[in-house]
């Protein structure tokens, strides 16, 4: 599970980096920056929904805030 979430984060960061690259290279003449940012948003939403689903299925567990450590 950690590997999958880590890879998803790397894909999100990669999409953000490619959007920055296209922004600097194309100077706003193409839609590649918008497409890369749209992909980043889609990946982020998909990761969020997957984490919610994994929690619902019991694949991951939330630890909450431990009151004893305060």
């Amino acid at each position: 599970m950690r590997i999958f979430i880590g890879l998803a984060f790397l894909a999100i960061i990669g999409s953000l980096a490619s959007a920055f690259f296209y922004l600097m290279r194309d100077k706003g003449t193409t839609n590649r920056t918008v497409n890369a940012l749209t992909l980043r948003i889609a990946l982020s939403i998909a990761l969020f929904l997957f984490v919610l689903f994994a929690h619902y299925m019991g694949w991951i567990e939330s630890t909450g805030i431990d009151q004893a450590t305060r």
Side-chain angles (χ1 to χ4, degrees):
M1 190 61 63
R2 289 182 184 177
I3 293 172
F4 177 76
I5 292 174
L7 290 175
F9 273 124
L10 287 176
I12 292 168
I13 297 298
S15 177
L16 185 62
S18 68
F20 178 71
F21 175 76
Y22 293 140
L23 180 67
M24 292 294 117
R25 185 168 183 221
D26 295 342
K27 304 290 186 203
T29 58
T30 66
N31 286 336
R32 293 194 295 182
T33 302
V34 174
N35 293 339
L37 290 174
T38 302
L39 177 64
R40 182 185 66 87
I41 291 170
L43 288 172
S44 298
I45 291 171
L47 178 61
F48 179 73
L49 292 176
F50 176 76
V51 168
L52 285 178
F53 179 72
H55 184 308
Y56 175 75
M57 295 298 291
W59 299 338
I60 58 175
E61 295 180 7
S62 61
T63 58
I65 298 173
D66 188 13
Q67 296 293 329
T69 59
R70 285 187 175 194

